[in-house]
Amino acid sequence: MPWRDFAEELVGTSKEAIKKLAEYAEDYRIYPRSINKKGKSFFFLAKVEQKKKLIILNESKYFAAFSGEIEEFAGFKAKIAPLNNENAEKLRKFFPYTAPKTLGNKNPSIGLGDRLGLATPGHIDAVKESEVMPVFAQQSVRELNLTNRSFKDVIDDVSWAVFQEGYEDGFAADADHLKNKTEVEKALKIGYTMITLDCTDYIKNFSQDITFQELKTEYEEIADYLKEGLESQYLNKTFVLGSNHELEYNKINFYKIVLTYYQVIEFAKEIYHLIKKEEKEIDFEISIDETFLPTSPEAHFFVANELKRNGIKINSLAPKFVGSFEKGIDYIGSLDKFEKHFKIHAEIAERFGHKLSIHSGSDKFSLYPIIGHYTKGRVHVKTAGTSWLEALRVVAKNNPSLFREIYYYALNKYKEAKEYYHVNTELADIPDLAKLSDKELPDLLENNEARQLLHITYGFIIEAKKDNNYLFRDKLYQFWEKNDREYRKALEEHIIKHLKKLGFYN
Ligand SMILES: O=C(O)[C@@H](O)[C@H](O)[C@H](O)C(=O)CO
């Protein structure tokens, strides 16, 4: 077994000499950047019978702390530790750089959701030369349910990858789109450093044709103490922003905004009390982006101001912007209209000191120059599906028959998948593979309709089973295992393209 030969060379080597040894570690199927020395023990990740394992050489308190099989060598012992949650927790304890930390709201930051647990090496390659702070561990409850993964799986996959790559510049972990106290408590207990609170269930959506009388009647039903406090703050008042843009609250928009968002504030207050109990800093994001109508600047100002008046400190806020932010494709709408709307939101965020968070932030290349310009780095761009699509691009290039199987399966599941994601693409608009040669398949990943199809059917594809056997999962993971370098390179290039367009990569 190659790692054993390497182990005999490594043990007893000085820290300086390790660098020399690392130069040919890959010949032994060892990850060179994972080689570490702690006390008397050496650590590295290696492929042992096709599976990644943590190898620890020389007995010490660190050696004893990890679980795994022990092998005797001439003069030393080796432990072959599985990459499980118990060992991941020990890894985060002894190698703090493998544990997540908070983003802080200074630098730009990017959420790099990974639905497979394979993308972090490519994400590391993309961000390591940039100024952005990455969130490598980011999945929503929706994604976890669709891929049958847990919040622990997500954070552990990232810690092992960060150790494998020797990446010590820090990353965050965002438990995304949480909707209740239980989910928040669970995520905090596991060690997530960012909580994205999805307030959709506390936002009241109005029909466009509601009359003033109907509005007033509903408003009157709110508790008097709340109404008095809010009316004295906003009703018939105007707030002037730095650019002299005026935010006016008249009866109509005031009633609508209060009725739409007042329960969001109550919900945020309840969750913030949980967060404040933590001994460490937590990045708190309020997400109000999954509503029918765009968030008006007056509504953004109201929510931010009410959070502040209630002593709720947030790091970022995700409004719903004008136009259409669909999954995995560029913005749909007027760029002028977007710019006019976005610059006011950026000003409001700057006034309150939080970041704007751009959900469904993947592939919005036409918007990035506007986003980068007006936020001046005070922004969090959240992506996820795009890394999944890059994994499929590698399949399309190298295993056309598997890609065809997946694509046809996705077509059959598209209607069901649209129950989870709002996309405008209709089945009839999606390209038919039969007309495409194998060579043309990778181009589908440049086609909006095909991207949307594959983007939202990820869970159906990964979890597809027949007679209790996975239809694609095992074949896909074996394929990505063999083609890990190509996937890593594709991710690096694709995410750097995002960062360059945002102006966050020199
Ligand atoms: O698919 C999801 O549920 C998440 O990726 C969610 O959409 C996330 O908040 C996001 O906006 C990533 O682009």
Side-chain angles (χ1 to χ4, degrees), residues 115 138-140 142-143 176-177 289-290 327 358-362 382-385 421 455 458:
R115 293 168 175 168
Q138 172 212 295
Q139 285 288 269
S140 67
R142 172 169 52 184
E143 286 167 310
D176 193 14
H177 281 288
D289 70 306
E290 303 219 357
K327 293 296 183 185
I358 319 291
H359 283 211
S360 302
S362 308
K382 213 173 264 202
T383 76
Y421 289 97
H455 183 296
Y458 63 92

mmCIF file of all heavy atoms in Angstrom, residues 115 138-140 142-143 176-177 289-290 327 358-362 382-385 421 455 458, ligand 1:
data_model
loop_
_atom_site.group_PDB
_atom_site.id
_atom_site.type_symbol
_atom_site.label_atom_id
_atom_site.label_comp_id
_atom_site.label_asym_id
_atom_site.label_seq_id
_atom_site.Cartn_x
_atom_site.Cartn_y
_atom_site.Cartn_z
ATOM 1 N N ARG A 115 -23.823 21.012 -3.406
ATOM 2 C CA ARG A 115 -24.865 20.019 -3.168
ATOM 3 C C ARG A 115 -24.312 18.588 -3.166
ATOM 4 O O ARG A 115 -25.017 17.645 -2.843
ATOM 5 C CB ARG A 115 -25.948 20.131 -4.250
ATOM 6 C CG ARG A 115 -26.705 21.452 -4.149
ATOM 7 C CD ARG A 115 -27.564 21.729 -5.338
ATOM 8 N NE ARG A 115 -28.343 22.957 -5.115
ATOM 9 C CZ ARG A 115 -29.007 23.569 -6.078
ATOM 10 N NH1 ARG A 115 -28.986 23.080 -7.323
ATOM 11 N NH2 ARG A 115 -29.693 24.669 -5.823
ATOM 12 N N GLN A 138 -22.551 25.864 2.823
ATOM 13 C CA GLN A 138 -23.825 26.571 2.663
ATOM 14 C C GLN A 138 -24.820 25.685 1.948
ATOM 15 O O GLN A 138 -24.661 25.362 0.783
ATOM 16 C CB GLN A 138 -23.652 27.884 1.877
ATOM 17 C CG GLN A 138 -24.976 28.546 1.519
ATOM 18 C CD GLN A 138 -24.894 29.291 0.213
ATOM 19 O OE1 GLN A 138 -24.145 30.270 0.132
ATOM 20 N NE2 GLN A 138 -25.616 28.845 -0.807
ATOM 21 N N GLN A 139 -25.832 25.259 2.695
ATOM 22 C CA GLN A 139 -26.938 24.548 2.048
ATOM 23 C C GLN A 139 -28.227 24.991 2.716
ATOM 24 O O GLN A 139 -28.238 25.282 3.930
ATOM 25 C CB GLN A 139 -26.777 23.028 2.200
ATOM 26 C CG GLN A 139 -25.700 22.441 1.278
ATOM 27 C CD GLN A 139 -26.135 22.420 -0.187
ATOM 28 O OE1 GLN A 139 -26.715 21.446 -0.664
ATOM 29 N NE2 GLN A 139 -25.892 23.469 -0.925
ATOM 30 N N SER A 140 -29.303 25.033 1.967
ATOM 31 C CA SER A 140 -30.599 25.374 2.565
ATOM 32 C C SER A 140 -31.260 24.089 3.051
ATOM 33 O O SER A 140 -30.870 22.972 2.635
ATOM 34 C CB SER A 140 -31.485 26.024 1.497
ATOM 35 O OG SER A 140 -31.806 25.043 0.521
ATOM 36 N N ARG A 142 -34.055 23.158 2.170
ATOM 37 C CA ARG A 142 -34.634 22.603 0.920
ATOM 38 C C ARG A 142 -33.596 21.705 0.222
ATOM 39 O O ARG A 142 -33.897 20.571 -0.158
ATOM 40 C CB ARG A 142 -35.019 23.774 0.020
ATOM 41 C CG ARG A 142 -35.452 23.445 -1.366
ATOM 42 C CD ARG A 142 -36.053 24.647 -2.075
ATOM 43 N NE ARG A 142 -35.201 25.832 -2.047
ATOM 44 C CZ ARG A 142 -35.574 27.030 -2.553
ATOM 45 N NH1 ARG A 142 -36.762 27.180 -3.083
ATOM 46 N NH2 ARG A 142 -34.762 28.052 -2.515
ATOM 47 N N GLU A 143 -32.374 22.169 0.102
ATOM 48 C CA GLU A 143 -31.350 21.364 -0.569
ATOM 49 C C GLU A 143 -31.023 20.101 0.216
ATOM 50 O O GLU A 143 -30.886 19.017 -0.351
ATOM 51 C CB GLU A 143 -30.074 22.205 -0.756
ATOM 52 C CG GLU A 143 -30.216 23.251 -1.845
ATOM 53 C CD GLU A 143 -29.092 24.281 -1.830
ATOM 54 O OE1 GLU A 143 -28.792 24.843 -0.751
ATOM 55 O OE2 GLU A 143 -28.536 24.544 -2.903
ATOM 56 N N ASP A 176 -28.721 27.797 5.707
ATOM 57 C CA ASP A 176 -29.439 28.695 4.790
ATOM 58 C C ASP A 176 -30.948 28.427 4.766
ATOM 59 O O ASP A 176 -31.394 27.291 4.824
ATOM 60 C CB ASP A 176 -28.840 28.489 3.385
ATOM 61 C CG ASP A 176 -29.256 29.564 2.418
ATOM 62 O OD1 ASP A 176 -29.788 30.607 2.872
ATOM 63 O OD2 ASP A 176 -29.095 29.360 1.203
ATOM 64 N N HIS A 177 -31.694 29.542 4.729
ATOM 65 C CA HIS A 177 -33.159 29.452 4.611
ATOM 66 C C HIS A 177 -33.772 28.598 5.731
ATOM 67 O O HIS A 177 -34.513 27.655 5.492
ATOM 68 C CB HIS A 177 -33.570 28.890 3.244
ATOM 69 C CG HIS A 177 -33.503 29.918 2.159
ATOM 70 N ND1 HIS A 177 -34.405 30.943 2.050
ATOM 71 C CD2 HIS A 177 -32.624 30.098 1.164
ATOM 72 C CE1 HIS A 177 -34.083 31.715 1.014
ATOM 73 N NE2 HIS A 177 -33.009 31.215 0.451
ATOM 74 N N ASP A 289 -36.524 37.573 0.460
ATOM 75 C CA ASP A 289 -36.448 37.611 -1.008
ATOM 76 C C ASP A 289 -37.468 36.700 -1.685
ATOM 77 O O ASP A 289 -37.732 36.825 -2.868
ATOM 78 C CB ASP A 289 -35.033 37.229 -1.473
ATOM 79 C CG ASP A 289 -34.744 35.755 -1.238
ATOM 80 O OD1 ASP A 289 -34.917 35.308 -0.086
ATOM 81 O OD2 ASP A 289 -34.381 35.054 -2.196
ATOM 82 N N GLU A 290 -38.046 35.752 -0.921
ATOM 83 C CA GLU A 290 -38.932 34.813 -1.617
ATOM 84 C C GLU A 290 -40.376 35.292 -1.473
ATOM 85 O O GLU A 290 -41.212 34.659 -0.852
ATOM 86 C CB GLU A 290 -38.686 33.388 -1.087
ATOM 87 C CG GLU A 290 -37.234 32.976 -1.253
ATOM 88 C CD GLU A 290 -36.993 31.525 -1.670
ATOM 89 O OE1 GLU A 290 -37.947 30.750 -1.806
ATOM 90 O OE2 GLU A 290 -35.808 31.189 -1.848
ATOM 91 N N LYS A 327 -32.975 30.553 -11.336
ATOM 92 C CA LYS A 327 -31.868 29.694 -10.897
ATOM 93 C C LYS A 327 -30.877 29.428 -12.025
ATOM 94 O O LYS A 327 -31.276 29.010 -13.115
ATOM 95 C CB LYS A 327 -32.451 28.362 -10.384
ATOM 96 C CG LYS A 327 -33.261 28.526 -9.101
ATOM 97 C CD LYS A 327 -32.379 29.004 -7.988
ATOM 98 C CE LYS A 327 -33.079 29.127 -6.672
ATOM 99 N NZ LYS A 327 -32.223 29.708 -5.628
ATOM 100 N N ILE A 358 -27.348 38.734 -2.084
ATOM 101 C CA ILE A 358 -27.958 38.483 -3.404
ATOM 102 C C ILE A 358 -28.234 36.983 -3.530
ATOM 103 O O ILE A 358 -27.320 36.202 -3.806
ATOM 104 C CB ILE A 358 -26.998 38.912 -4.551
ATOM 105 C CG1 ILE A 358 -26.296 40.232 -4.243
ATOM 106 C CG2 ILE A 358 -27.735 38.907 -5.880
ATOM 107 C CD1 ILE A 358 -27.173 41.456 -4.240
ATOM 108 N N HIS A 359 -29.471 36.593 -3.269
ATOM 109 C CA HIS A 359 -29.823 35.174 -3.383
ATOM 110 C C HIS A 359 -30.023 34.807 -4.858
ATOM 111 O O HIS A 359 -30.239 35.685 -5.690
ATOM 112 C CB HIS A 359 -31.109 34.883 -2.597
ATOM 113 C CG HIS A 359 -30.861 34.797 -1.127
ATOM 114 N ND1 HIS A 359 -31.578 33.998 -0.291
ATOM 115 C CD2 HIS A 359 -29.953 35.426 -0.330
ATOM 116 C CE1 HIS A 359 -31.144 34.120 0.949
ATOM 117 N NE2 HIS A 359 -30.155 34.993 0.953
ATOM 118 N N SER A 360 -29.950 33.493 -5.138
ATOM 119 C CA SER A 360 -29.951 33.055 -6.552
ATOM 120 C C SER A 360 -28.925 33.885 -7.302
ATOM 121 O O SER A 360 -29.160 34.372 -8.399
ATOM 122 C CB SER A 360 -31.347 33.227 -7.183
ATOM 123 O OG SER A 360 -32.293 32.488 -6.460
ATOM 124 N N GLY A 361 -27.790 34.040 -6.631
ATOM 125 C CA GLY A 361 -26.751 34.937 -7.155
ATOM 126 C C GLY A 361 -25.899 34.339 -8.261
ATOM 127 O O GLY A 361 -25.071 35.010 -8.849
ATOM 128 N N SER A 362 -26.096 33.039 -8.552
ATOM 129 C CA SER A 362 -25.287 32.372 -9.607
ATOM 130 C C SER A 362 -25.537 32.999 -10.967
ATOM 131 O O SER A 362 -26.693 33.314 -11.300
ATOM 132 C CB SER A 362 -25.680 30.896 -9.724
ATOM 133 O OG SER A 362 -25.655 30.232 -8.531
ATOM 134 N N LYS A 382 -24.814 34.969 -3.072
ATOM 135 C CA LYS A 382 -25.079 33.573 -2.697
ATOM 136 C C LYS A 382 -25.286 32.713 -3.941
ATOM 137 O O LYS A 382 -26.133 33.000 -4.777
ATOM 138 C CB LYS A 382 -26.330 33.523 -1.810
ATOM 139 C CG LYS A 382 -26.272 32.443 -0.773
ATOM 140 C CD LYS A 382 -27.433 32.503 0.199
ATOM 141 C CE LYS A 382 -27.113 33.227 1.467
ATOM 142 N NZ LYS A 382 -27.999 32.859 2.590
ATOM 143 N N THR A 383 -24.435 31.674 -4.071
ATOM 144 C CA THR A 383 -24.577 30.764 -5.219
ATOM 145 C C THR A 383 -24.665 29.343 -4.690
ATOM 146 O O THR A 383 -24.255 29.072 -3.559
ATOM 147 C CB THR A 383 -23.350 30.856 -6.153
ATOM 148 O OG1 THR A 383 -22.253 30.144 -5.546
ATOM 149 C CG2 THR A 383 -22.951 32.286 -6.428
ATOM 150 N N ALA A 384 -25.186 28.455 -5.519
ATOM 151 C CA ALA A 384 -25.164 27.039 -5.150
ATOM 152 C C ALA A 384 -25.343 26.179 -6.398
ATOM 153 O O ALA A 384 -24.472 25.409 -6.765
ATOM 154 C CB ALA A 384 -26.243 26.708 -4.126
ATOM 155 N N GLY A 385 -26.459 26.351 -7.071
ATOM 156 C CA GLY A 385 -26.777 25.481 -8.196
ATOM 157 C C GLY A 385 -25.708 25.487 -9.284
ATOM 158 O O GLY A 385 -25.483 24.488 -9.958
ATOM 159 N N TYR A 421 -38.984 25.045 -6.765
ATOM 160 C CA TYR A 421 -38.279 26.242 -7.248
ATOM 161 C C TYR A 421 -39.123 26.997 -8.261
ATOM 162 O O TYR A 421 -39.699 26.380 -9.156
ATOM 163 C CB TYR A 421 -36.951 25.847 -7.916
ATOM 164 C CG TYR A 421 -35.914 25.371 -6.940
ATOM 165 C CD1 TYR A 421 -35.722 24.010 -6.703
ATOM 166 C CD2 TYR A 421 -35.142 26.273 -6.216
ATOM 167 C CE1 TYR A 421 -34.790 23.565 -5.779
ATOM 168 C CE2 TYR A 421 -34.195 25.842 -5.295
ATOM 169 C CZ TYR A 421 -34.030 24.492 -5.078
ATOM 170 O OH TYR A 421 -33.105 24.052 -4.166
ATOM 171 N N HIS A 455 -30.785 22.332 -13.165
ATOM 172 C CA HIS A 455 -30.530 23.020 -11.885
ATOM 173 C C HIS A 455 -31.523 22.564 -10.817
ATOM 174 O O HIS A 455 -31.157 22.182 -9.712
ATOM 175 C CB HIS A 455 -30.661 24.532 -12.088
ATOM 176 C CG HIS A 455 -30.351 25.334 -10.877
ATOM 177 N ND1 HIS A 455 -31.103 25.270 -9.722
ATOM 178 C CD2 HIS A 455 -29.364 26.212 -10.615
ATOM 179 C CE1 HIS A 455 -30.592 26.088 -8.819
ATOM 180 N NE2 HIS A 455 -29.549 26.657 -9.327
ATOM 181 N N TYR A 458 -31.806 18.541 -9.356
ATOM 182 C CA TYR A 458 -30.608 17.919 -8.768
ATOM 183 C C TYR A 458 -30.971 16.817 -7.755
ATOM 184 O O TYR A 458 -30.410 15.723 -7.768
ATOM 185 C CB TYR A 458 -29.711 18.964 -8.104
ATOM 186 C CG TYR A 458 -30.346 19.686 -6.937
ATOM 187 C CD1 TYR A 458 -30.191 19.234 -5.642
ATOM 188 C CD2 TYR A 458 -31.123 20.830 -7.143
ATOM 189 C CE1 TYR A 458 -30.794 19.881 -4.576
ATOM 190 C CE2 TYR A 458 -31.741 21.479 -6.079
ATOM 191 C CZ TYR A 458 -31.570 21.010 -4.807
ATOM 192 O OH TYR A 458 -32.182 21.644 -3.753
HETATM 193 O O1 LIG B 1 -31.442 26.005 -3.775
HETATM 194 C C1 LIG B 1 -31.537 26.491 -2.636
HETATM 195 O O2 LIG B 1 -32.443 26.259 -1.823
HETATM 196 C C2 LIG B 1 -30.449 27.443 -2.161
HETATM 197 O O3 LIG B 1 -29.344 27.399 -3.045
HETATM 198 C C3 LIG B 1 -30.991 28.866 -2.102
HETATM 199 O O4 LIG B 1 -31.589 29.159 -3.318
HETATM 200 C C4 LIG B 1 -29.852 29.822 -1.787
HETATM 201 O O5 LIG B 1 -30.301 30.701 -0.784
HETATM 202 C C5 LIG B 1 -29.423 30.624 -2.961
HETATM 203 O O6 LIG B 1 -30.022 31.630 -3.276
HETATM 204 C C6 LIG B 1 -28.243 30.154 -3.728
HETATM 205 O O7 LIG B 1 -28.153 30.767 -4.956
#
